[in-house]
Amino acid sequence: MTLLSTNFNVPFDKHKAEELVKSGLSILGVSIDGIDSETYRSYRVNGSFEKVLFNISLVQAAKKKLSSASPRVVWSFLAFKHNQHLIGKAKQMAKQLDMEFQVTRGISHNKQWLTDDIHIHPVDDVAIRGPVCRQLYTMAVVNADLGVSPCCFHDAYDSNHDFGDVNKNEFKSVWNAGKYRNARKLFKNHKNGRNKSNHKIVCENCVVYLKHMENINGAE
């Protein structure tokens, strides 16, 4: 199964939509955190709500033209305090657009942004699967500048923490070497729980890793 997550604020047309459908992609996750231009731009600054909906319509039309059930198109809603009251309406809109709907609790260093709805699933919990962080084995974030981040949590979006650059190297070489290997080793070094290389890794300060170490220390 292959999954692509995007804000879909990109140049797109019918040809690209058909190529996307033909690619065999399983799931297309589209990050939409509002129900109109005003609420959408509260978080997706300078983004175009209208462009996103138009691009989605192109994909759905391409699926129909090619008689394809894939990719499944998912409306991914990050919930914060300012938009949590919009979840119901967003879910209705997703249904009208023939999209699946997923809501997770957003992350922010500014606690005033955080939702107080304890029933919304925390996005960082999604990364925890047993003794590892599944993000390090199942996904990567390729940014607009072609820098590769391990995920989109916390400070990983900062280019200073990139794990590589697909403009300079093939993705496979980034995935199997350097910071990726050191990050995966973090979850194996249970005793000291620290990266032994000379390269600082953003994962060391991630809540997913810190929760993992709390579980390990509590079990000892």
Side-chain angles (χ1 to χ4, degrees):
M1 183 180 72
T2 52
L3 182 153
L4 173 66
S5 181
T6 175
N7 58 39
F8 231 178
N9 264 284
V10 295
F12 206 62
D13 55 34
K14 291 182 179 180
H15 174 71
K16 290 180 179 178
E18 292 183 12
E19 290 299 304
L20 179 66
V21 172
K22 292 177 182 178
S23 72
L25 181 69
S26 305
I27 302 174
L28 177 67
V30 185
S31 300
I32 312 174
D33 318 298
I35 59 171
D36 52 33
S37 294
E38 182 180 357
T39 55
Y40 177 78
R41 290 179 180 175
S42 295
Y43 184 67
R44 307 282 169 182
V45 179
N46 295 326
S48 172
F49 182 75
E50 292 76 15
K51 178 185 286 187
V52 174
L53 296 190
F54 177 71
N55 288 345
I56 291 170
S57 70
L58 292 178
V59 174
Q60 301 292 38
K63 287 173 60 178
K64 184 176 182 179
K65 177 181 178 181
L66 299 171
S67 300
S68 176
S70 62
R72 292 161 46 199
V73 186
V74 181
W75 181 314
S76 180
F77 190 103
L78 282 180
F80 295 95
K81 186 171 292 185
H82 74 275
N83 68 355
Q84 63 186 32
H85 64 289
L86 302 174
I87 293 174
K89 178 62 176 178
K91 188 174 183 179
Q92 292 177 7
M93 292 178 67
K95 185 176 181 179
Q96 293 170 359
L97 295 169
D98 198 22
M99 299 174 70
E100 297 177 37
F101 186 76
Q102 179 185 61
V103 57
T104 49
R105 198 184 313 163
I107 294 174
S108 175
H109 291 297
N110 187 342
K111 293 184 178 181
Q112 293 182 348
W113 275 71
L114 301 180
T115 176
D116 52 8
D117 189 338
I118 61 173
H119 300 292
I120 300 175
H121 191 69
V123 69
D124 51 15
D125 279 1
V126 177
I128 301 175
R129 289 292 185 275
V132 298
C133 170
R134 76 181 182 94
Q135 305 281 354
L136 297 173
Y137 293 88
T138 63
M139 69 164 289
V141 177
V142 180
N143 300 300
D145 62 358
L146 300 184
V148 180
S149 305
C151 67
C152 57
F153 297 168
H154 307 288
D155 294 325
Y157 56 81
D158 188 328
S159 61
N160 291 320
H161 298 306
D162 282 353
F163 277 21
D165 186 336
V166 292
N167 191 43
K168 299 177 182 178
N169 303 284
E170 291 186 0
F171 176 78
K172 187 176 181 179
S173 66
V174 175
W175 182 256
N176 291 318
K179 290 187 176 181
Y180 261 111
R181 293 173 64 90
N182 291 329
R184 291 166 185 146
K185 288 178 182 178
L186 282 175
F187 289 84
K188 297 180 180 180
N189 297 334
H190 294 166
K191 291 185 178 180
N192 56 29
R194 281 291 145 188
N195 162 38
K196 294 181 179 180
S197 76
N198 293 324
H199 301 288
K200 183 67 176 178
I201 298 176
V202 66
C203 305
E204 294 182 74
N205 296 318
C206 176
V207 65
V208 174
Y209 173 66
L210 296 176
K211 284 183 179 179
H212 168 74
M213 290 309 300
E214 285 180 6
N215 292 336
I216 292 297
N217 293 331
E220 294 179 349

